[in-house]
Amino acid sequence: MAVNVTNDNAKEFMATELPIVLDFSATWCGPCKQLAPIIDELSQEYAGRIAVGKCDIEEADDLTMEYGIRNVPTVIFIKDGKVVDKFVGSKSKGDVQAKFEALLG
């Protein structure tokens, strides 16, 4: 299950050795609501291999500013502490899963 990442727990969440997927969203965002179940499903499928976090931009504003998030949804992919990929907007499960697979490669 995806972890709800806030300003309070961001440092702890980011300390993992696993590759990280961060989904930046907002409660008022329609495309975010479309993407959320896909991210949740993939977080379960990749449990133990990829750390998946969900960041409400209003609850994790420090992380939002750190990664320069300007539009939601934005999903970033981090490996070895560096952003290696990202996308903005809603995507199909197949497209998102391909990015999860690439992160493991």
Side-chain angles (χ1 to χ4, degrees):
M1 187 77 171
V3 174
N4 184 33
V5 180
T6 65
N7 288 335
D8 294 335
N9 69 354
K11 203 170 237 177
E12 179 183 334
F13 178 79
M14 299 300 286
T16 183
E17 296 292 321
L18 296 174
I20 298 170
V21 173
L22 281 176
D23 173 21
F24 290 89
S25 63
T27 55
W28 44 262
C29 167
C32 299
K33 292 176 185 176
Q34 292 174 333
L35 186 61
I38 294 169
I39 297 293
D40 286 338
E41 192 174 325
L42 290 173
S43 73
Q44 292 177 0
E45 289 180 31
Y46 288 85
R49 298 186 290 159
I50 296 176
V52 179
K54 296 181 116 184
C55 302
D56 183 311
I57 59 170
E58 294 169 359
E59 294 177 6
D61 55 339
D62 291 345
L63 211 51
T64 300
M65 287 184 359
E66 180 180 338
Y67 288 101
I69 305 304
R70 296 194 174 150
N71 299 305
V72 288
T74 295
V75 180
I76 62 171
F77 299 83
I78 301 168
K79 190 170 189 173
D80 299 324
K82 296 183 178 112
V83 176
V84 295
D85 198 1
K86 79 174 191 176
F87 68 83
V88 178
S90 193
K91 301 269 186 214
S92 71
K93 181 181 178 189
D95 289 344
V96 179
Q97 188 163 14
K99 293 200 176 274
F100 272 63
E101 286 295 327
L103 187 61
L104 291 173

